[in-house]
Amino acid sequence: MTDADQVRDQIRNDAVEAALGKLDLDTKARLLAGQDMWSLPAVPGIGLQSLVMSDGPIGVRGVRWTADDPSIALPSPTALAAAWDPELARRAGRLLAQEARRKGVHVLLAPTVNLHRSPLGGRHFECYSEDPLLTGAVGSGYVTGVQEGGVGTTVKHFVGNDAETDRFTVDSVIAPRPLRELYLAPFEAIVDNAHPWGIMTAYNEVNGTTMTEHRYLVNEVLRGEWGFDGCNVSDWMAARSTAGDIEGGMDVAMPGPTTVYGPALAEAVRAGEVPESAVDEAVRNVLRLAARVGLLEGAPAVVETAPAPIDGQALARELAARGFVLVRNQDLLPLDATAGGTVALLGAAARDARVLGGGSATVFPERVVSPLDGLTAALPEGALTYAVGADPSDEPTPADKGFELRAVCRDASGAVLGTGSLPSGQVQWIGDDLPAGVTYETMASIEVTGTFLPRESGEHAFGTRGLGAFALSVGGRSLWSGVQEMGNEADPFEAFFGAPCERARVTLAEGEPVEVSLTYQVPDMTALPLRAIMFSLLHLGPQRDADELIAEAVAAARAADTAVVVVATTERVESEGFDRTDLRLPGRQDDLVRAVAAVNPNTVVVVNAGSPVELPWREDVAAVLLTWFPGQEGGAALADVLLGAAEPGGRLPTTWPARFADAPVTEVVPTEGRLEYREGLFIGYRAYEKHAVVPAFPFGHGLGYTDWAYESLEATADTVRVRVTNTGTRPGREVVQVYLAPAAPASDGAPSAAVERPASWLAGFAGVAAGPGESVEAVIALPARAFEIWDEEARGWRRIGGTYEVRASHSHGDIRLTATLDVE
């Protein structure tokens, strides 16, 4: 921090103290509770404006569930981590800060830095990696970039929220060593390196204590040991105890207006249950956050001049290509676009790509470039054919392609109160996110209405998702009315949405528009702490015989020089609110790949999934490219990579198992409310190595379009230098990964020999770029923590001396050079 920064910081702190001194107890308590779904109240008397938060892992939605103000949709966090480039994450953060400022948002509810403990984690697409060092580095880059744009971050979910099953109540039972060395480590690194302005505490318990009330982890570790001076925000609806939360270090209870803070907190202070000093400390943290983002009068914002504008579409395209991981390539890619070859593009996901993971990370981009769009634009006319081949889903999903919809809100008499636009058939209004002129008190019904232009002739299915009474009509004809009841969904998030239900089928003609209408009766919500409306008009296109579809794809593949098959997961397989039960691709997609590969040796499979899936045909195809959820420009980036305009820059941020049965850690379902992390230190590649299990593709694996020779390795206790040469014919980028393996304990340190440690662990990495024939040196800092363990008896970090093998690697499974290093 420069002298000028220190002066400005002191001015901010002085302004915070002056403002705090002017507040009475009731106002202080009110300031710690959300006034609505996304914001804190303004206090004009001290010059405090309302602070607005928004979901923001891959884009900034803002406070409305609408496409009226579109958002840039970047690739999923797994894709960002796959680039292994904290500076690229920093650029992504700067873009999101730009988006936030445009939308009037002051704090992003991101990044998510929980670990990929098990491949079954349903929300892993929103997390970075299985490794704490990589996660901390990428998360630090993201936080730095966002806050350089003058917007706050809330690093989440602190801590132990590594699965979705029973996430509101589960007790994550984690021993002290793995808790420190794995799960807390990314948070600690980000606090140390990026100084985030916010942390979000999780729903779950850790070792018997709810995280919003966890005095030890929040007050002693986060604030005391690490020196975090930001604002601690609850996950939405996680706060449950007025006294427990404030004494546990939780500053803000979200969302409002009904929370455990506000009037309840003021009353607890007056009753002697809570010291007012605890309230003052929380308010101080909130005011400091407000000052940093420029909302407190007399306090200079940390960033008063916005950084230079960033082209969002261009960066989204670059990020996608940089995160694509080419895990297999039998001399097929890149394709030669000038050779006049033909391409058969196959798979429903090639036409209707899944570009983001869903759940609270959902945004509505202005445009989405599918693989079909991207390759159509990039290839000469007549070079591309398309066939559906196989659809990953046979369930109706929220009405989307071909639909133009709006929501009409009426009172009990049928009079229109207001109208809102809809990005799809899904209505999701929470808190005050209602169309202009509409209130919960006056609204009796909502009609989702508009037109549908079918893309194909045949029998179209329509349905509903949500809890309550509905009436459905198509083409002016009433098709169904009734009540949808709650199913067996365990997670409240999932239960509130309800299960998709088909209600009727109608034969429609391609290109002939038809009117559609779904009316929902609004229930009485006066007794609910948070009022919200969530339901959907669903649609499923004509379902043709699966064997016929595969046969058509096979014919197209046989006639083409190259076949590109796009396979994908769906929101019913991989999303927020539930964990997966297996790693299989849904539908007949595996059958499609096998059938196409059997007739065309030049088959490329593009895997459109946020986290690992089984690829049982991987040895039967020429190339496999993992694109994660690639964001709005994914199809354009795919064309760039397949045709060689860009190199697939990604390396695996998580181990890709050959089969689900091979995954060493799979337990995500609690037993009697407890999820025991019995594997201890051994998750991800550490577990595969311990159990001698060979994965399909190891952690850190990824192929570019050139080759690299590792020529020299020099190692000290704090720096590793690796010289590499590009031995191929194209420019490229290599990610040099350094792993440590304990070769022998210190000669005088008998206790070191008894310390259980992984066989190897990632200690550092660096990306380098070079042209054909060029050499470059990667300089990789080794953190002191790489040689330390958490000593459970001493309750502190302990350096483990001895001889280590330093491995310069292309991936965890591909060691190129080694050196020995003696550490005291």
Side-chain angles (χ1 to χ4, degrees):
M1 183 179 290
T2 66
D3 291 343
D5 289 335
Q6 289 179 336
V7 170
R8 290 164 60 84
D9 199 44
Q10 186 60 53
I11 294 172
R12 273 191 296 274
N13 288 336
D14 291 344
V16 166
E17 294 303 319
L20 177 60
K22 297 176 183 177
L23 298 176
D24 60 29
L25 174 60
D26 292 301
T27 305
K28 287 187 288 190
R30 180 165 57 89
L31 187 55
L32 302 182
Q35 66 177 350
D36 53 29
M37 186 67 181
W38 302 112
S39 69
L40 298 182
V43 183
I46 59 169
L48 177 66
Q49 301 174 51
S50 175
L51 184 144
V52 178
M53 307 176 222
S54 172
D55 288 315
I58 57 99
V60 184
R61 188 173 63 250
V63 300
R64 301 287 308 277
W65 191 268
T66 174
D68 290 346
D69 184 13
S71 307
I72 295 291
L74 298 181
S76 64
T78 42
L80 187 61
W84 286 61
D85 188 346
E87 184 57 34
L88 190 66
R90 183 177 181 177
R91 291 172 58 202
R94 280 197 168 198
L95 171 62
L96 294 180
Q98 174 179 294
E99 285 279 281
R101 293 173 79 113
R102 180 176 66 80
K103 288 174 174 269
V105 169
H106 309 112
V107 175
L108 292 186
L109 305 172
T112 305
V113 299
N114 301 108
L115 296 185
H116 297 179
R117 172 179 167 264
S118 162
L120 293 180
R123 203 175 178 180
H124 279 353
F125 61 87
E126 196 180 314
C127 309
Y128 289 129
S129 169
E130 69 187 24
D131 181 79
L133 185 139
L134 177 60
T135 297
V138 176
S140 293
Y142 176 100
V143 168
T144 299
V146 172
Q147 294 184 176
E148 283 176 341
V151 174
T153 56
T154 51
V155 188
K156 63 183 188 181
H157 307 88
F158 187 75
V159 63
N161 182 190
D162 307 295
E164 291 292 278
T165 304
D166 295 345
R167 59 178 172 159
F168 287 80
T169 57
V170 63
D171 181 10
S172 298
V173 182
I174 314 172
R177 264 198 76 190
L179 181 60
R180 288 282 188 158
E181 295 182 25
L182 295 179
Y183 302 101
L184 286 172
F187 293 93
E188 181 181 10
I190 294 169
V191 169
D192 186 47
N193 297 322
H195 309 292
W197 301 343
I199 291 280
M200 180 189 290
T201 41
Y203 293 118
N204 53 280
E205 297 179 0
V206 169
N207 299 330
T209 302
T210 301
M211 275 310 306
T212 54
E213 305 171 36
H214 215 302
R215 300 187 201 185
Y216 171 65
L217 289 178
V218 174
N219 289 337
E220 296 185 33
V221 176
L222 174 64
R223 295 198 186 278
E225 292 181 27
W226 302 348
F228 172 70
D229 68 350
C231 183
N232 177 11
V233 181
S234 76
D235 203 341
W236 265 228
M237 302 183 74
R240 296 155 201 163
S241 166
T242 299
D245 287 338
I246 196 70
E247 293 179 358
M250 194 193 77
D251 299 322
V252 173
M254 292 296 291
T258 303
T259 79
V260 297
Y261 285 175
L265 180 56
E267 179 58 32
V269 172
R270 292 189 175 101
E273 299 168 1
V274 170
E276 189 167 356
S277 60
V279 176
D280 287 346
E281 189 58 34
V283 172
R284 184 175 286 113
N285 293 330
V286 171
L287 292 175
R288 187 182 299 116
L289 174 59
R292 284 169 166 166
V293 299
L295 297 178
L296 182 62
E297 189 176 296
V302 172
V303 178
E304 295 185 301
T305 302
I310 298 172
D311 183 332
Q313 289 186 359
L315 183 56
R317 185 170 181 165
E318 179 187 352
L319 286 170
R322 288 286 305 278
F324 288 175
V325 183
L326 184 62
V327 293
R328 177 177 171 84
N329 187 20
Q330 301 298 101
D331 298 320
L332 177 59
L333 297 179
L335 304 176
D336 186 353
T338 66
T342 56
V343 175
L345 181 62
L346 312 167
R351 181 182 66 182
D352 301 323
R354 188 176 182 197
V355 301
L356 48 81
S360 60
T362 299
V363 296
F364 305 106
E366 187 175 18
R367 71 171 198 168
V368 169
V369 182
S370 69
L372 180 57
D373 296 331
L375 285 170
T376 297
L379 290 171
E381 187 174 351
L384 182 70
T385 58
Y386 171 72
V388 171
D391 196 319
S393 176
D394 58 2
E395 287 186 327
T397 57
D400 187 9
K401 297 291 189 298
F403 287 86
E404 292 187 5
L405 301 170
R406 65 190 186 280
V408 180
C409 303
R410 296 182 173 88
D411 64 16
S413 71
V416 175
L417 298 171
T419 301
S421 63
L422 292 177
S424 70
Q426 181 173 328
V427 176
Q428 182 167 311
W429 297 336
I430 304 176
D432 294 333
D433 181 13
L434 296 172
V438 178
T439 67
Y440 289 101
E441 290 76 15
T442 57
M443 180 172 46
S445 68
I446 303 167
E447 182 187 13
V448 174
T449 182
T451 59
F452 170 49
L453 188 67
R455 295 190 295 186
E456 50 198 332
S457 299
E459 193 175 52
H460 290 253
F462 292 85
T464 62
R465 186 180 184 189
L467 307 179
F470 296 93
L472 171 68
S473 67
V474 176
R477 183 163 62 94
S478 176
L479 297 179
W480 177 82
S481 63
V483 176
Q484 184 165 336
E485 305 286 355
M486 183 174 289
N488 60 357
E489 300 85 5
D491 187 275
F493 185 88
E494 187 183 10
F496 205 41
F497 277 104
C501 296
E502 181 180 320
R503 301 303 185 186
R505 296 193 175 196
V506 182
T507 300
L508 302 175
E510 177 185 350
E512 294 186 9
V514 61
E515 296 294 318
V516 296
S517 170
L518 177 67
T519 299
Y520 172 72
Q521 299 301 318
V522 177
D524 181 6
M525 288 180 279
T526 54
L528 297 180
L530 177 65
R531 293 184 290 186
I533 293 173
M534 296 183 184
F535 71 92
S536 298
L537 167 65
L538 305 181
H539 169 259
L540 179 66
Q543 296 297 284
R544 295 178 51 205
D545 181 79
D547 290 331
E548 280 185 19
L549 290 175
I550 291 176
E552 284 182 5
V554 166
R558 185 182 285 113
D561 295 307
T562 304
V564 177
V565 186
V566 182
V567 297
T569 59
T570 70
E571 277 205 32
R572 295 284 285 169
V573 170
E574 186 182 12
S575 190
E576 180 178 349
F578 58 90
D579 293 308
R580 294 191 282 176
T581 57
D582 57 54
L583 302 181
R584 293 191 298 270
L585 286 167
R588 296 282 301 278
Q589 295 180 102
D590 286 334
D591 293 339
L592 171 65
V593 173
R594 290 189 183 98
V596 168
V599 300
N600 192 325
N602 296 327
T603 294
V604 181
V605 181
V606 176
V607 183
N608 180 194
S611 46
V613 291
E614 289 180 352
L615 309 175
W617 31 258
R618 63 189 179 280
E619 301 292 338
D620 303 326
V621 299
V624 179
L625 182 68
L626 312 179
T627 63
W628 315 102
F629 297 141
Q632 67 176 61
E633 304 298 317
L638 179 63
D640 291 342
V641 166
L642 291 181
L643 302 178
E647 182 182 43
R651 305 292 185 266
L652 284 178
T654 197
T655 305
W656 208 278
R659 304 175 305 156
F660 169 57
D662 294 338
V665 181
T666 59
E667 187 178 20
V668 293
V669 178
T671 300
E672 297 182 350
R674 291 162 56 91
L675 183 59
E676 304 265 1
Y677 286 43
R678 295 186 180 89
E679 67 284 348
L681 298 170
F682 299 95
I683 65 170
Y685 63 87
R686 304 163 188 238
Y688 282 86
E689 192 167 25
K690 177 182 181 180
H691 297 290
V693 175
V694 178
F697 306 109
F699 175 78
H701 173 66
L703 308 172
Y705 286 156
T706 190
D707 297 312
W708 297 88
Y710 282 57
E711 297 180 338
S712 66
L713 165 64
E714 298 176 7
T716 68
D718 54 18
T719 306
V720 173
R721 296 178 180 272
V722 182
R723 189 167 185 82
V724 296
T725 298
N726 181 346
T727 59
T729 59
R730 292 172 52 103
R733 180 177 182 272
E734 174 70 338
V735 178
V736 179
Q737 302 161 40
V738 172
Y739 298 86
L740 293 180
S747 58
D748 61 347
S752 302
V755 172
E756 182 182 41
R757 287 188 288 177
S760 64
W761 57 88
L762 181 69
F765 63 92
V768 293
E774 292 181 354
S775 299
V776 64
E777 185 177 66
V779 181
I780 301 162
L782 291 184
R785 187 60 55 77
F787 302 97
E788 296 175 341
I789 68 160
W790 180 258
D791 188 320
E792 295 187 353
E793 291 186 6
R795 299 187 67 178
W797 293 99
R798 177 159 65 94
R799 189 173 178 88
I800 305 298
T803 300
Y804 289 82
E805 182 177 76
V806 180
R807 300 171 177 173
S809 304
H810 176 74
S811 73
H812 183 258
D814 186 355
I815 303 167
R816 299 294 177 90
L817 295 172
T818 63
T820 57
L821 178 66
D822 291 322
V823 174
E824 295 183 357

